Amino acid sequence: MGQDKWAVSFKTIISSLLFAFVFYAVALWRYLATGYIFYLFNFGYIGTALAIGLFLNTSLPKKYRSWGRRIAQILVGSYLLIYVGFILGENLQLEGFFIYLLMGVFQGATLHFFIAKIIGPVLFNRGWCSWACWTAMVLDVLPWKKPVHKRVRYLGLIRYVHFFVSFAVVFYIWFILENRTIYADKLMEVYWLAVGSVLYYAVGLFFGFIFKDNRAFCKYICPVPVLQKITSRYAVMKIEINKEKCIDCGLCEKNCPMNIKLLEYKNANKRICSTECILCTTCIEVCPKSAVSITNKIDFCNTEYLDIF
Ligand code: SF4
Ligand code: SF4
Ligand code: SF4
């Protein structure tokens, strides 16, 4: 079957290189637009780390393929949190995005959100959530990679409440208190990022233990999907099941960390267009028939098939 060997092919190399080139193009665009050499390093580093992860994810012997994603997630997540966040003093969290929007600044958090969480998902879906997020980088250490329970209906509404509370706090400081200097010094951004990150980790670990689910925080609490879910619907990169190869064993569904009912999409002749898909590639790794893959197409479907109660 070739599953216990490396599977390096022209296609895997070219796909990884193409992915890196997208980031190198962004690096060049930002450098030429601003003259700021940091952009060359920043997007060059992220693109290279993701390309290495993608290459390993598609080339390693099957049982080790998840390492590719984890390596990319740790390389990008820790770089963004420690170097860009704490050392350079950029609060890349949602509040930082709102504040920079109000300031009319298109760098730091605004650029990050546009690329990773608003426009980027049209190309690479919610890949951010599996391949780069520094919160999930830690939550993925928990032992419940496949959910023990179904999703809890309506609990995900907390994400929307969280989103609007974050916006309301920034709105209050900016327009009611008329404090336009909240981001006047980088130290304030670092404090905000530190407090926000500690809270995210604490709540994420707590929910992970309560639900026995590494991704409980992502499903119910994190406000970022509120933005991602708008554009990921149109993602070029989506999971697809080959009907001819599939034997309906159900392993992909059982192992999906986001409780997506993949077979319902297959039976409806659709790619996995759930906005809950985080492109973690677990379904690809567990399929005994190699029937699952990431495909690149332009399509649209508006259906959520989730295992929920
Ligand atoms: S849902 Fe939030 S915490 Fe989870 S991976 Fe995505 S951005 Fe990170
Ligand atoms: S794991 Fe593969 S063969 Fe089994 S149901 Fe999923 S796609 Fe079909
Ligand atoms: S459908 Fe596949 S890639 Fe998407 S979240 Fe589920 S296991 Fe991961």
Side-chain angles (χ1 to χ4, degrees), residues 44-92:
Y45 172 85
I46 294 173
T48 305
L50 290 174
I52 291 171
L54 195 60
F55 172 73
L56 293 174
N57 190 260
T58 45
S59 306
L60 277 172
K62 207 165 181 179
K63 65 179 174 181
Y64 300 118
R65 284 194 186 170
S66 61
W67 291 10
R69 181 185 71 78
R70 275 299 271 163
I71 287 169
Q73 188 187 37
I74 290 166
L75 285 175
V76 180
S78 54
Y79 162 76
L80 288 175
L81 180 65
I82 297 168
Y83 183 67
V84 180
F86 290 121
I87 296 177
L88 296 185
E90 293 281 350
N91 179 11
L92 299 180

Side-chain angles (χ1 to χ4, degrees), residues 80 182 200 217 238 248 269:
L80 288 175
I182 44 174
Y200 273 33
F217 182 79
K238 289 192 183 96
D248 287 306
N269 291 317

Side-chain angles (χ1 to χ4, degrees), residues 158-272:
I158 297 175
R159 300 192 284 202
Y160 294 87
V161 175
H162 185 169
F163 185 90
F164 286 105
V165 167
S166 290
F167 181 73
V169 167
V170 172
F171 188 90
Y172 179 77
I173 295 172
W174 191 266
F175 288 107
I176 310 294
L177 298 182
E178 293 194 2
N179 182 352
R180 307 284 158 89
T181 60
I182 44 174
Y183 259 32
D185 69 279
K186 286 284 174 194
L187 208 53
M188 182 61 80
E189 289 203 53
V190 171
Y191 283 146
W192 202 309
L193 176 64
V195 172
S197 299
V198 168
L199 274 175
Y200 273 33
Y201 285 133
V203 176
L205 292 171
F206 177 74
F207 266 69
F209 276 104
I210 293 291
F211 287 93
K212 302 209 175 336
D213 182 349
N214 289 13
R215 292 289 181 157
F217 182 79
C218 304
K219 292 171 193 171
Y220 306 126
I221 313 291
C222 180
V224 173
V226 173
L227 294 172
Q228 292 173 312
K229 283 162 78 71
I230 298 169
T231 43
S232 65
R233 180 77 70 198
Y234 305 92
V236 171
M237 295 173 75
K238 289 192 183 96
I239 296 290
E240 183 167 11
I241 295 178
N242 182 326
K243 273 181 121 169
E244 307 302 317
K245 292 184 179 174
C246 176
I247 53 168
D248 287 306
C249 67
L251 276 175
C252 50
E253 281 193 4
K254 280 186 202 127
N255 286 278
C256 173
M258 299 303 279
N259 307 86
I260 295 168
K261 298 177 93 168
L262 288 92
L263 297 182
E264 297 211 12
Y265 288 100
K266 182 202 74 167
N267 293 336
N269 291 317
K270 293 178 187 330
R271 295 200 292 162
I272 313 303

Side-chain angles (χ1 to χ4, degrees), residues 239 255-258 260 262 272 276-283:
I239 296 290
N255 286 278
C256 173
M258 299 303 279
I260 295 168
L262 288 92
I272 313 303
E276 293 300 312
C277 178
I278 52 175
L279 232 55
C280 67
T281 69
T282 303
C283 48

